[in-house]
Amino acid sequence: MKISRLGTVGAIALVGGLVLAGCSSNTTPSDDTSSAAPGSATGLDAIDASLAGTITAGGSSAQANAETAWTTAFNSVAKGVTINYDKSQGSGGGRSNFISGAYDFAGSDAPLSADETKQAAATYPSGAVDLPIYLDGVAVAYNSSLGSSLNLTTATIAKIFSGKITDWSDPAITADNGGTALPAGKITVVVRSDSSGTAQNFTNFLNAADPADWSWKGSGTFPADITGTDAQKGGGAVASEIAKVRGSIGYLDHSALTDGVSAATVNGIEYSADAVAAALTDGATVTSNGVDGDLSITFDYSKITADTAAYPIPLLSYAIIPLEFKTPEQAKITVAYLRFIASEDGQKAAAKKAGSAPLPAEILDQVNDTLATVK
Amino acid sequence: MQHSLTTGRLPKFIDLWVALGAIAVSAIVFASFGAIGLVAGWLVVGAILYLVAIGVLSHIVEGRRKRTDRIVRGLVVVAFLLAVIPLVSTLWTVIANGAAALSWDFVFGTEHSTFDRETFDTHTVAGIWPAIVGTLIITGIAAVISIPIGLLTAVWLTEYALPSNPVRRTVTFLVDVMTGIPSIVAGLFAFALFTLIEGPGSFSGISAAIALCVLMIPTVVRSSEEMIKLVPLELREASYALGVTKWRTILKVVLRTAVAGLVTGAVLAIARVIGETAPIYIAAGYTSNLNANPGVGPMSTLAVVSYNGYAFPDQSQPDLSHAEAWGSALVLIILVVVLNLVARFIASAFAPRARR
Amino acid sequence: MTATPAAAEHRAPRNAGGPVGLAANSTSKIGDRLFLGLSTGASWLILVILAGVAIFLIIKAAPAIGADWASNDALNQTVANTPGHANFWEYAGPLLFGTVWASFLALLMGAPVAVGIALFISHYAPRRIAGVLGYLVDLLAAVPSVVFGLWGLSVITGFLGPLNQFLGEYLGWIPLFGGSISAGGGTILAGAVVLAVMILPIVTSISREIFLQTPSLHEEAALALGATRWEMIRLAVLPYARSGVISAILLGLGRALGETMAIAMIVSPKLIVSFQLLTNDNPATIASNIANQFGGANDMQRDALIATGLLLFVVSFLVNFIARWIVSRTAPGVRRVRKARAA
């Protein structure tokens, strides 16, 4: 009895393995994913088509477009998995719902704080980890009628956004642009009225790189005591406002640029996927929240600004997951999804859809290492 | 001082002539300043000129009382025009922006994306059918719960409770307070309630419906109470005099007489909550997949889809988000217009006599 | 106040007047009891719901109100990123001002217009088109608040632009129109205009229904005595409709106080108290502030936001209380009319 049952199980496993191997070697490989054996396949090829279940997640809206790409690509292979990502909750809402146990993972522009990590430990005894999955940059965006190119140094940016410089013909701006003075006009600073990871990364940068001109601590909310700023709700609204108002300038996700809005070069450096990846490589240090495998990252802006090829204002967004899920099935599908996100294929799909920068391979490897420990 | 019965009368269409004249004068003045483009400006000044001119003219020819009457008439017409303008403007904006998005697939399809393995491109096609279903389910449940409760409370407040009853004063007062609850707080309350009952992660349609109930009930109670109070006492007294029991009187005499006003109040309440976004996404989360089960799982509504299309646009397909935002807004307005028509039809079917 | 139907019935003897043979039978008694039970139950249910909401708000808000803001980084820094909130009241004060100010402006602009429209539809418009006109205004109620936000952003802010410039240039010495004029148009004036448009349908619909219910006998009597149309309205319609119109306006006010999305989308908010109508530095309202900050707030900050929601609750309470008190104090004409009818 036992032996024949063992034999049946073994036969199924063998057949299953052969089928999987057959599957992964039948798909036409894209340029760089190798299909030698099922275990070492990455990206799309590594997705198990038999997975089924529902993933409930939500949080950051910066990741939203990337999540659409990831969900669609994932579903093109694993058709049985339904993924609900709620982008209207915001990073704080995502973290809060994650801590209460409502989400399988949270998308968040900031890692869990010390308090939140403690609270998460109450729901998930093994702890929760922050994994960086999305890289973008903060663009200093201006109304295109100002001209096709504009360069601003850190100090000038800090002064403009804190209201110390109010006119486009200011000598500081002229100096930044090789001596060519811009026509005089009032500067309207457009900011976010709601909290966002964009503001967090932007204010972190300003506070670290130019504390003399920008004394406010880094925060998800733009300082409310700077008067005269035009505050709009949502990145899309900021973009439309900048496009609408002559002489306006603001900060945006680089992927949110629209017609009528142009990005300034910061300290002479233009945004590009490579430039922002260089910033990550130069200045990112892992400051773990205490849980094994946590990859919360802090930026050392002095190292980033020292590199003239690195875009100074990177923006990083995380997926926050528990180390131990309530059920192994849930762990399996969530980890499979996140593993796809943290693969080259996944990052490429996100870059195409959302305009983000693919994370460097070293970070992706670390993410995958942590994912391997999740049960 | 002229005797009001023997004053002269201004010619028949004098209002119209004076109005045209005033607007013309105002336009000329603005044009001479080079500001003819400021349409609102010369219309407003023209209206003020009209009121002054007709007032003076009427005072001289017809006397004080008629003058006041004409000025009030002018003010009231101006008020009406002031309402028509934003209405036309809003509808025009929505139709102009949203009509292009309407297609069979958009209205009856579900949002889906395709992924191209070769180019790694993701292409999304919008579809708002899940949002339509969600709107009907969530608002439907909220209406089914709120309208009877609101109506019965209004009945109790007017028909059963004596004015001196302290509970009555408390309920009236608290209903007033309830009108000021911000929608987002109602959503938080419902979410907390269901987290208490069902544990974490309880995004559901019914949770959102409860949030909407909190917002609807005060409107229904207040408007119903006013309508019921307006039913003449004589009707009730006649009914009692004929030996009809109290509940039959209320049901068949009072409520039937007030039905047009009651329906207006109910439709107002529904129209208010059908457009809410914050309580929905807090209590019911968000999903672009179809979920017709109100007890479990996130649900989206047309208002939420519209807001998301505006606030979180898809940068690689900005037209898609634009279509989603305005198209779903247009469908929502059409839905409420249909609802309004149906409600009025029901009201006129039940009303005891021809309504004006 | 003594002439409510309940009081009238209470004064009448039991089984008023009907022939002996038709005394209430047992089905009717059950029907009566059932109906009474249902109605009373509904009212108590409302009390329970409201109590539930109040308890929820208090439980969530208490930690934030009582916390030591000066030492709590999460509270005094990142909720507003404005250092120096010594306590909850310093944070919530400007928000409270903003809410009341925006609603007041909206009511100032919207309520008279709404009552005017209702009068127009009920008494001035030709009979044939009155129904259609009423329906047109009801259409405004059909528009969701998100759409008003979108419309406000795309139409109103641009429309008010030239007006803002004009007022700022020529009338800037009036404090209301002072300050640095907003280029983008996200002013509290624009927000108040949109709010006024939003409360129009509520106030108009209910007022219209009330005006239509005026006993035609009274109206015709006034006209027969030679009153002009306006005098007829003043004598017969308005006193009759007074309490109802006040209720309608208070409903509109409630809507304005609690409006979240449209204000959040249109007005450029700061945490200040300011009477200037045309700048980018506008007081934020409680509801729009919650909507803006909720997504990024951590636990303690959420509690602070909910605490402001509780404050709004209390404010609605007070405003309604004051309004109703004013109404009851200044209605001698009504009492006379009502007493005459009851006699």
Side-chain angles (χ1 to χ4, degrees), chain B residues 65 69 76 83 87 89 149 156 158-160 173-174 176-179 182-183 188 192 226-227 240 245-247 264 271 277 310 332 336-337 344 356, chain C residues 6 9 16 28 31-32 36 43 45 47 50 56 117 120 138-139 141-142 144 146 151 153 209 212 226 230-231 244 247 260-261 294 312 317 324:
Chain B
R65 288 172 56 212
D69 189 47
V76 163
L87 171 70
S89 170
I149 291 182
W156 184 81
T158 48
E159 304 283 337
Y160 285 104
F173 192 63
L174 290 179
D176 274 342
V177 171
M178 236 167 134
T179 62
S183 45
L188 290 171
E226 291 302 328
M227 297 306 158
Y240 294 140
T245 53
K246 180 154 185 155
W247 72 276
T264 305
T277 52
Y310 157 76
L332 188 56
V336 181
V337 166
R344 283 192 179 238
R356 280 193 273 179
Chain C
E9 202 238 345
S28 303
D32 256 337
L36 174 65
S43 309
L45 188 61
L47 280 179
L50 210 62
F56 161 74
I117 298 168
F120 177 76
D138 281 349
L139 260 180
V146 184
W151 172 71
L153 275 174
E209 290 295 336
L212 282 173
W230 162 240
E231 284 166 354
S247 281
T260 311
M261 270 310 169
F294 206 74
L312 184 60
F317 196 82
R324 296 233 170 254

Coordinates of all heavy atoms in Angstrom, one line a residue, chain B residues 65 69 76 83 87 89 149 156 158-160 173-174 176-179 182-183 188 192 226-227 240 245-247 264 271 277 310 332 336-337 344 356, chain C residues 6 9 16 28 31-32 36 43 45 47 50 56 117 120 138-139 141-142 144 146 151 153 209 212 226 230-231 244 247 260-261 294 312 317 324:
Chain B
R65 N -45.0 100.0 -4.4 CA -45.2 98.6 -4.3 C -44.9 97.8 -5.6 O -44.3 96.8 -5.5 CB -46.7 98.3 -3.9 CG -47.0 98.8 -2.5 CD -48.5 98.7 -2.2 NE -49.0 97.4 -2.4 CZ -50.2 97.1 -2.9 NH1 -51.1 98.1 -3.1 NH2 -50.7 95.9 -3.1
D69 N -42.0 94.9 -6.4 CA -42.4 93.7 -7.1 C -41.5 93.4 -8.3 O -41.0 92.3 -8.5 CB -43.9 93.8 -7.5 CG -44.4 92.4 -8.0 OD1 -44.1 91.4 -7.3 OD2 -45.0 92.4 -9.1
V76 N -35.1 87.4 -8.7 CA -35.4 85.9 -8.8 C -35.0 85.3 -10.1 O -34.4 84.2 -10.2 CB -36.9 85.7 -8.5 CG1 -37.3 84.3 -8.9 CG2 -37.1 85.9 -7.0
A83 N -28.1 79.8 -11.6 CA -28.0 78.4 -11.4 C -27.9 77.7 -12.7 O -27.2 76.7 -12.8 CB -29.3 77.9 -10.7
L87 N -24.7 74.8 -14.2 CA -25.3 73.5 -14.6 C -24.9 73.2 -16.0 O -24.3 72.2 -16.3 CB -26.8 73.6 -14.5 CG -27.5 72.3 -15.1 CD1 -27.2 71.1 -14.3 CD2 -29.0 72.6 -15.2
S89 N -22.6 74.6 -17.7 CA -21.1 74.5 -17.8 C -20.6 73.2 -17.4 O -19.8 72.6 -18.1 CB -20.5 75.6 -17.0 OG -19.1 75.5 -16.9
I149 N -35.3 53.5 7.2 CA -35.0 54.0 8.5 C -35.3 55.5 8.6 O -35.9 56.0 9.6 CB -33.5 53.7 8.8 CG1 -33.3 52.2 9.0 CG2 -33.1 54.5 10.1 CD1 -31.9 51.9 9.4
W156 N -42.0 59.0 13.0 CA -42.0 59.0 14.5 C -41.9 60.4 15.0 O -42.7 60.8 15.9 CB -40.9 58.1 15.0 CG -40.9 58.0 16.5 CD1 -41.7 57.1 17.2 CD2 -40.2 58.7 17.5 NE1 -41.5 57.3 18.6 CE2 -40.5 58.2 18.8 CE3 -39.2 59.7 17.4 CZ2 -40.0 58.7 19.9 CZ3 -38.6 60.2 18.5 CH2 -39.0 59.7 19.8
T158 N -42.7 63.2 13.6 CA -43.9 64.1 13.4 C -45.2 63.5 13.9 O -46.0 64.3 14.4 CB -44.1 64.4 11.9 OG1 -44.0 63.1 11.2 CG2 -43.0 65.3 11.4
E159 N -45.4 62.2 13.8 CA -46.7 61.7 14.1 C -46.8 61.1 15.5 O -47.9 61.1 16.0 CB -47.0 60.6 13.1 CG -47.0 61.0 11.6 CD -48.2 61.8 11.3 OE1 -49.2 61.7 11.9 OE2 -48.1 62.6 10.3
Y160 N -45.8 60.6 16.0 CA -45.9 59.9 17.3 C -45.3 60.7 18.5 O -45.9 60.6 19.5 CB -45.2 58.5 17.2 CG -46.0 57.5 16.4 CD1 -45.6 57.2 15.1 CD2 -47.1 56.9 16.9 CE1 -46.2 56.3 14.4 CE2 -47.8 56.0 16.2 CZ -47.4 55.6 14.9 OH -48.0 54.7 14.2
F173 N -32.0 66.9 17.0 CA -30.8 67.6 17.1 C -29.6 66.7 16.5 O -28.7 67.2 15.8 CB -30.5 67.9 18.6 CG -29.5 68.9 18.7 CD1 -29.5 70.1 18.2 CD2 -28.3 68.5 19.4 CE1 -28.5 71.0 18.3 CE2 -27.3 69.4 19.5 CZ -27.4 70.6 18.9
L174 N -29.6 65.5 16.9 CA -28.5 64.6 16.5 C -28.5 64.4 15.0 O -27.5 64.2 14.4 CB -28.5 63.3 17.3 CG -28.2 63.4 18.8 CD1 -28.3 62.1 19.5 CD2 -26.8 64.0 18.9
D176 N -29.4 66.6 12.9 CA -28.7 67.8 12.4 C -27.2 67.6 12.4 O -26.5 68.0 11.5 CB -29.1 69.0 13.2 CG -30.4 69.6 12.7 OD1 -30.8 69.3 11.6 OD2 -31.0 70.4 13.5
V177 N -26.7 67.1 13.5 CA -25.3 67.0 13.7 C -24.7 66.0 12.7 O -23.7 66.2 12.1 CB -25.0 66.5 15.1 CG1 -23.5 66.1 15.3 CG2 -25.3 67.6 16.1
M178 N -25.5 64.9 12.5 CA -25.0 63.9 11.5 C -24.8 64.5 10.1 O -24.0 63.9 9.4 CB -26.1 62.8 11.5 CG -25.6 61.4 11.8 SD -27.0 60.4 12.0 CE -26.5 59.0 11.1
T179 N -25.5 65.5 9.8 CA -25.3 66.0 8.4 C -23.9 66.6 8.2 O -23.5 66.7 7.1 CB -26.3 67.2 8.1 OG1 -26.1 68.3 9.0 CG2 -27.7 66.8 8.2
P182 N -18.0 64.4 8.0 CA -17.2 64.4 6.7 C -17.3 62.9 6.2 O -17.2 62.0 6.9 CB -15.8 64.8 7.0 CG -15.7 65.0 8.5 CD -17.1 64.7 9.1
S183 N -17.4 62.8 4.8 CA -17.5 61.5 4.3 C -16.4 60.6 4.6 O -16.6 59.4 4.8 CB -17.7 61.6 2.7 OG -16.7 62.5 2.2
L188 N -14.1 55.7 7.6 CA -13.3 55.2 8.6 C -14.1 54.4 9.7 O -13.7 53.4 10.2 CB -12.5 56.3 9.3 CG -11.4 57.0 8.5 CD1 -10.9 58.2 9.2 CD2 -10.3 56.0 8.2
A192 N -13.7 50.6 10.6 CA -13.3 50.1 11.9 C -14.4 49.1 12.5 O -14.1 48.1 13.1 CB -13.2 51.3 12.9
E226 N -39.8 67.5 7.0 CA -40.4 68.7 6.5 C -41.6 68.5 5.6 O -42.6 69.1 5.7 CB -39.3 69.5 5.7 CG -38.2 70.1 6.6 CD -38.8 71.0 7.7 OE1 -39.8 71.6 7.5 OE2 -38.2 71.0 8.8
M227 N -41.4 67.5 4.7 CA -42.5 67.2 3.8 C -43.8 66.7 4.6 O -44.9 67.0 4.3 CB -42.1 66.1 2.8 CG -41.0 66.5 1.9 SD -41.4 68.1 1.1 CE -39.8 68.7 0.7
Y240 N -59.1 60.5 10.7 CA -59.4 59.9 12.0 C -60.9 60.0 12.2 O -61.5 59.1 12.8 CB -58.7 60.7 13.1 CG -57.2 60.6 13.1 CD1 -56.4 61.7 13.4 CD2 -56.6 59.4 12.9 CE1 -55.0 61.6 13.4 CE2 -55.2 59.2 12.9 CZ -54.5 60.3 13.1 OH -53.1 60.2 13.1
T245 N -57.6 53.8 11.3 CA -56.6 53.7 12.4 C -55.4 54.6 12.1 O -55.2 55.0 10.9 CB -56.1 52.3 12.5 OG1 -55.7 51.8 11.3 CG2 -57.2 51.4 13.1
K246 N -54.6 54.8 13.1 CA -53.5 55.7 12.9 C -52.5 55.3 11.9 O -52.1 56.0 11.0 CB -52.8 55.8 14.3 CG -51.6 56.8 14.2 CD -51.3 57.4 15.5 CE -50.2 58.4 15.3 NZ -50.2 59.4 16.3
W247 N -52.1 54.0 11.9 CA -51.1 53.6 10.9 C -51.6 53.6 9.5 O -50.9 54.0 8.6 CB -50.5 52.2 11.3 CG -51.4 51.0 11.1 CD1 -52.4 50.6 11.9 CD2 -51.4 50.2 9.9 NE1 -52.9 49.5 11.4 CE2 -52.4 49.2 10.2 CE3 -50.6 50.1 8.8 CZ2 -52.6 48.2 9.2 CZ3 -50.9 49.1 7.8 CH2 -51.9 48.2 8.1
T264 N -38.4 63.2 -3.7 CA -37.3 64.2 -3.9 C -36.2 64.1 -2.9 O -35.0 64.1 -3.2 CB -37.9 65.6 -3.9 OG1 -39.0 65.8 -4.7 CG2 -36.8 66.7 -4.2
A271 N -28.4 60.8 -4.7 CA -27.5 61.5 -5.6 C -26.3 62.0 -4.8 O -25.2 62.0 -5.4 CB -28.2 62.7 -6.2
T277 N -16.2 59.4 -3.0 CA -15.1 58.6 -3.3 C -14.4 58.1 -2.0 O -14.1 56.9 -1.8 CB -14.0 59.3 -4.1 OG1 -13.8 60.6 -3.5 CG2 -14.5 59.6 -5.5
Y310 N -8.2 60.6 -12.7 CA -7.6 61.9 -12.6 C -6.4 62.0 -11.8 O -5.4 62.6 -12.1 CB -8.7 62.9 -12.1 CG -8.1 64.1 -11.5 CD1 -7.7 65.2 -12.3 CD2 -8.0 64.3 -10.1 CE1 -7.1 66.3 -11.7 CE2 -7.4 65.4 -9.5 CZ -7.0 66.4 -10.4 OH -6.5 67.5 -9.8
L332 N -21.9 58.1 -14.7 CA -22.5 58.3 -13.4 C -23.7 59.3 -13.5 O -24.8 59.1 -12.9 CB -21.5 58.8 -12.4 CG -21.9 58.9 -11.0 CD1 -22.4 57.6 -10.5 CD2 -20.7 59.4 -10.1
V336 N -27.7 58.8 -12.7 CA -28.5 59.5 -11.7 C -29.7 60.2 -12.4 O -30.8 60.2 -11.8 CB -27.7 60.6 -11.0 CG1 -28.5 61.3 -9.9 CG2 -26.5 59.9 -10.2
V337 N -29.5 60.6 -13.6 CA -30.6 61.2 -14.4 C -31.7 60.2 -14.6 O -32.9 60.4 -14.3 CB -30.1 61.7 -15.7 CG1 -31.3 62.0 -16.6 CG2 -29.3 63.0 -15.5
R344 N -39.4 60.1 -10.2 CA -40.5 61.0 -10.5 C -41.7 60.2 -11.0 O -42.8 60.5 -10.7 CB -40.1 62.0 -11.4 CG -39.3 63.0 -10.7 CD -39.0 64.3 -11.5 NE -38.2 65.2 -10.7 CZ -38.6 66.4 -10.4 NH1 -39.7 66.9 -10.8 NH2 -37.8 67.1 -9.6
R356 N -48.3 70.0 -9.6 CA -48.0 71.1 -10.5 C -46.7 70.8 -11.2 O -45.7 70.4 -10.5 CB -47.9 72.4 -9.7 CG -49.2 72.9 -9.4 CD -49.1 74.3 -8.9 NE -48.9 74.3 -7.4 CZ -48.8 75.5 -6.7 NH1 -48.7 76.6 -7.3 NH2 -48.6 75.4 -5.4
Chain C
A6 N -48.8 65.0 15.9 CA -48.9 64.1 17.1 C -49.6 64.8 18.2 O -50.4 64.2 18.9 CB -47.4 63.8 17.5
E9 N -53.3 64.9 17.5 CA -54.0 63.7 17.7 C -54.1 63.4 19.2 O -55.1 62.8 19.7 CB -53.2 62.5 17.0 CG -54.1 61.3 16.8 CD -53.5 60.1 17.4 OE1 -52.3 60.1 17.8 OE2 -54.2 59.1 17.5
A16 N -61.7 58.8 17.9 CA -62.4 60.0 17.6 C -63.5 59.8 16.6 O -63.3 59.5 15.5 CB -61.4 61.0 17.1
S28 N -56.1 46.0 13.2 CA -55.6 47.3 13.2 C -54.8 47.7 14.5 O -53.8 48.4 14.4 CB -56.8 48.3 13.2 OG -57.6 48.0 12.0
G31 N -51.5 46.4 13.8 CA -50.9 47.2 12.8 C -50.4 48.5 13.4 O -49.3 48.9 13.2
D32 N -51.2 49.0 14.3 CA -50.8 50.3 15.0 C -49.6 50.0 15.8 O -48.6 50.8 15.8 CB -51.9 50.7 15.9 CG -52.7 51.9 15.3 OD1 -52.1 52.6 14.5 OD2 -53.8 52.2 15.7
L36 N -45.9 51.7 15.2 CA -45.3 52.5 16.2 C -44.0 51.9 16.6 O -43.0 52.6 16.8 CB -46.3 52.5 17.5 CG -45.7 53.2 18.7 CD1 -45.5 54.7 18.4 CD2 -46.6 53.1 19.9
S43 N -35.9 55.4 15.0 CA -35.3 56.5 15.7 C -34.2 56.1 16.7 O -33.2 56.7 16.7 CB -36.4 57.3 16.5 OG -37.5 57.6 15.6
L45 N -32.5 53.5 16.4 CA -31.4 53.0 15.6 C -30.5 54.1 15.3 O -29.2 54.0 15.3 CB -31.9 52.3 14.4 CG -30.8 51.5 13.6 CD1 -30.2 50.5 14.4 CD2 -31.5 50.9 12.3
L47 N -30.1 56.9 16.9 CA -29.3 57.3 18.1 C -28.1 56.3 18.3 O -27.0 56.8 18.6 CB -30.2 57.2 19.3 CG -31.1 58.4 19.5 CD1 -32.0 58.2 20.7 CD2 -30.3 59.7 19.6
L50 N -25.4 57.0 15.7 CA -24.7 58.2 16.0 C -23.8 58.0 17.2 O -22.6 58.5 17.2 CB -25.7 59.3 16.2 CG -25.1 60.7 15.8 CD1 -24.9 60.7 14.4 CD2 -26.1 61.8 16.2
F56 N -16.6 55.9 18.4 CA -15.4 55.5 17.5 C -14.5 56.7 17.4 O -13.3 56.6 17.6 CB -15.9 55.1 16.1 CG -14.9 55.2 15.1 CD1 -13.9 54.3 14.9 CD2 -15.0 56.3 14.1 CE1 -13.0 54.4 13.9 CE2 -14.1 56.3 13.1 CZ -13.1 55.4 13.0
I117 N -34.1 80.7 -6.6 CA -34.5 79.8 -7.7 C -35.7 79.1 -7.3 O -36.6 78.9 -8.1 CB -33.3 78.8 -7.9 CG1 -32.1 79.4 -8.3 CG2 -33.8 77.7 -8.9 CD1 -30.9 78.5 -8.3
F120 N -38.6 81.2 -7.9 CA -38.8 81.4 -9.3 C -39.6 80.2 -9.9 O -40.6 80.4 -10.6 CB -37.5 81.5 -10.0 CG -37.6 81.6 -11.5 CD1 -38.0 82.8 -12.1 CD2 -37.3 80.5 -12.3 CE1 -38.1 82.9 -13.5 CE2 -37.4 80.6 -13.7 CZ -37.8 81.8 -14.3
D138 N -32.5 69.9 -10.4 CA -32.3 68.7 -9.7 C -31.1 67.9 -10.4 O -30.4 67.2 -9.7 CB -33.5 67.8 -9.8 CG -34.5 68.2 -8.7 OD1 -34.2 69.0 -7.8 OD2 -35.7 67.7 -8.7
L139 N -30.9 68.2 -11.7 CA -29.8 67.6 -12.4 C -28.5 68.0 -11.7 O -27.6 67.2 -11.7 CB -29.8 68.1 -13.8 CG -30.3 67.2 -14.9 CD1 -30.2 67.8 -16.2 CD2 -29.6 65.9 -14.9
A141 N -28.0 68.1 -8.7 CA -27.7 67.2 -7.6 C -27.1 65.9 -8.1 O -26.5 65.1 -7.3 CB -29.0 66.9 -6.8
A142 N -27.3 65.6 -9.4 CA -26.9 64.3 -9.9 C -25.4 64.3 -10.1 O -24.8 63.3 -10.3 CB -27.6 64.1 -11.2
P144 N -21.7 64.2 -9.3 CA -20.9 63.8 -8.1 C -19.9 64.8 -7.7 O -19.5 65.6 -8.6 CB -20.2 62.5 -8.6 CG -20.3 62.5 -10.0 CD -21.4 63.3 -10.5
V146 N -16.8 64.6 -7.2 CA -15.5 64.5 -7.9 C -15.6 65.3 -9.2 O -14.7 66.0 -9.5 CB -15.2 63.0 -8.3 CG1 -13.9 62.9 -9.0 CG2 -15.3 62.1 -7.1
W151 N -14.5 69.9 -12.5 CA -15.0 71.1 -13.2 C -14.5 72.4 -12.6 O -14.1 73.3 -13.4 CB -16.6 71.1 -13.1 CG -17.2 72.3 -13.6 CD1 -17.4 72.8 -14.9 CD2 -17.9 73.3 -12.8 NE1 -18.1 73.9 -14.9 CE2 -18.4 74.3 -13.7 CE3 -18.1 73.5 -11.4 CZ2 -19.1 75.4 -13.2 CZ3 -18.8 74.6 -11.0 CH2 -19.3 75.5 -11.9
L153 N -11.6 72.7 -11.2 CA -10.3 72.9 -11.6 C -10.2 73.3 -13.1 O -9.3 74.2 -13.4 CB -9.5 71.5 -11.5 CG -9.0 71.2 -10.1 CD1 -8.4 69.8 -10.1 CD2 -7.9 72.2 -9.8
E209 N -40.2 72.4 -2.9 CA -41.3 71.5 -2.5 C -42.1 72.2 -1.4 O -43.3 72.2 -1.4 CB -40.8 70.2 -1.9 CG -40.2 69.3 -2.9 CD -41.2 68.8 -3.9 OE1 -42.4 68.8 -3.6 OE2 -40.8 68.4 -5.0
L212 N -44.2 75.0 -2.9 CA -45.3 74.5 -3.6 C -46.5 74.1 -2.7 O -47.6 74.0 -3.1 CB -44.9 73.3 -4.5 CG -44.1 73.7 -5.8 CD1 -43.6 72.4 -6.4 CD2 -45.0 74.4 -6.7
G226 N -55.4 92.4 -3.6 CA -54.7 93.4 -4.3 C -53.2 93.4 -4.1 O -52.5 94.4 -4.4
W230 N -45.0 89.8 -5.2 CA -44.0 89.8 -4.1 C -44.6 89.9 -2.7 O -44.3 89.2 -1.8 CB -42.9 90.9 -4.3 CG -42.1 91.2 -3.1 CD1 -42.1 92.4 -2.5 CD2 -41.3 90.3 -2.3 NE1 -41.3 92.3 -1.4 CE2 -40.8 91.1 -1.3 CE3 -41.0 89.0 -2.5 CZ2 -39.9 90.5 -0.3 CZ3 -40.1 88.4 -1.5 CH2 -39.6 89.2 -0.5
E231 N -45.6 90.8 -2.6 CA -46.3 90.9 -1.3 C -47.0 89.6 -1.0 O -47.1 89.3 0.2 CB -47.3 92.1 -1.4 CG -46.6 93.4 -1.3 CD -47.5 94.6 -1.7 OE1 -48.6 94.3 -2.1 OE2 -47.0 95.7 -1.6
G244 N -39.1 75.3 7.2 CA -38.6 74.3 6.2 C -37.4 74.9 5.5 O -36.4 74.1 5.2
S247 N -34.4 74.6 7.6 CA -33.9 73.2 7.6 C -33.1 72.9 6.3 O -32.1 72.3 6.3 CB -35.1 72.2 7.6 OG -35.5 72.1 8.9
T260 N -15.5 66.9 1.2 CA -14.0 66.5 1.2 C -13.3 66.8 -0.1 O -12.4 67.6 -0.2 CB -13.9 65.0 1.6 OG1 -14.8 64.8 2.7 CG2 -12.5 64.6 1.9
M261 N -13.8 66.0 -1.1 CA -13.0 65.9 -2.3 C -12.9 67.2 -3.1 O -11.8 67.5 -3.6 CB -13.6 64.8 -3.2 CG -13.0 63.5 -3.0 SD -11.2 63.5 -3.0 CE -10.8 62.0 -2.3
F294 N -4.3 61.7 5.0 CA -4.5 60.4 5.5 C -3.6 59.3 4.8 O -3.1 58.4 5.5 CB -6.0 60.0 5.2 CG -6.4 59.0 6.2 CD1 -6.7 59.4 7.5 CD2 -6.6 57.7 5.8 CE1 -7.1 58.5 8.4 CE2 -7.0 56.8 6.8 CZ -7.3 57.1 8.0
L312 N -15.0 68.5 14.0 CA -16.0 68.9 13.0 C -17.4 68.5 13.5 O -18.3 69.3 13.4 CB -15.7 68.3 11.7 CG -16.6 68.7 10.5 CD1 -16.5 70.1 10.3 CD2 -16.2 67.9 9.3
F317 N -22.7 70.3 15.5 CA -23.5 70.4 16.7 C -23.8 71.9 17.1 O -24.9 72.3 17.1 CB -22.7 69.7 17.8 CG -23.4 69.3 19.0 CD1 -24.2 68.2 19.1 CD2 -23.4 70.1 20.2 CE1 -24.8 67.8 20.2 CE2 -24.1 69.7 21.3 CZ -24.8 68.6 21.3
R324 N -30.8 76.9 15.2 CA -32.2 76.6 15.6 C -32.6 77.5 16.7 O -33.8 77.9 16.8 CB -32.2 75.1 16.1 CG -32.0 74.2 15.0 CD -33.1 73.1 14.9 NE -32.8 72.4 13.7 CZ -33.5 72.5 12.6 NH1 -34.6 73.3 12.6 NH2 -33.3 71.8 11.5

